[in-house]
Amino acid sequence: MFFEAHAAVYADVEAELVRAHGLTLRWYDVLLHLRAVPGRRLSMRELGDAVVISKSGLTGLVDRMARAGLVERTADPDDRRVTFVTLTPLGAERYAHARVDHRAAVAERFLDRLDPADLDVIERAMASVLGEPYGARPRPGPGPGGRA
């Protein structure tokens, strides 16, 4: 049932983001991680470690996002093996607008359908699966603190 629930929520949330903002959830994931770091820049390796995207598909994804003007790729002047990905002003703007709709879609299709006690159980279980202490991540929700 976990797989089916994930697939249903993922498809609905992605369809909403594509319709309203032209962003897939993979693009949104990249924008989210770049927006969250100082300087809004990560190396391709750091970005690959952060996002929920296969590393093999990340290069093409970043190339397409660069062509859309959402990110820039730049070489590290000190190490030619390193490429940085930087969030552009357009990417930051698109993320800010999409974030509101992403949160609403996740709430409507997932969070609002759960009893608060069930949500707590799921959060504890997911923290355990990820090997993180319970409560280590901010809860998604209104305001700047939550990630969504």
Side-chain angles (χ1 to χ4, degrees):
M1 235 193 302
F2 174 79
F3 185 76
E4 291 88 351
H6 170 268
V9 171
Y10 188 97
D12 286 351
V13 171
E14 183 165 75
E16 177 64 24
L17 283 181
V18 168
R19 183 194 61 73
H21 304 283
L23 298 175
T24 66
L25 279 171
R26 290 179 175 170
W27 284 30
Y28 182 82
D29 191 26
V30 168
L31 297 176
L32 179 149
H33 282 90
L34 291 172
R35 175 67 176 80
V37 295
R40 297 181 179 182
R41 179 179 90 164
L42 292 170
S43 70
M44 282 290 286
R45 180 181 175 99
E46 292 168 326
L47 187 58
D49 290 342
V51 295
V52 185
I53 300 168
S54 72
K55 292 178 184 30
S56 63
L58 184 60
T59 299
L61 182 91
V62 169
D63 287 345
R64 290 187 296 279
M65 292 179 74
R67 284 193 298 273
L70 303 176
V71 300
E72 289 180 341
R73 292 175 63 121
T74 55
D76 182 341
D78 299 324
D79 186 345
R80 294 184 335 185
R81 297 170 296 173
V82 176
T83 300
F84 289 110
V85 181
T86 306
L87 185 65
T88 65
L90 176 61
E93 180 182 333
R94 294 273 299 278
Y95 169 76
H97 289 112
R99 183 175 186 233
V100 172
D101 289 335
H102 178 263
R103 286 173 177 252
V106 169
E108 178 186 331
R109 291 164 179 86
F110 182 67
L111 299 173
D112 292 349
R113 296 178 183 195
L114 299 173
D115 182 271
D118 293 337
L119 185 57
D120 191 56
V121 169
I122 291 170
E123 188 174 354
R124 283 179 190 277
M126 293 298 110
S128 179
V129 167
L130 293 172
E132 296 180 359
Y134 172 69
R137 294 184 185 202
R139 282 188 172 205
R147 285 181 45 177

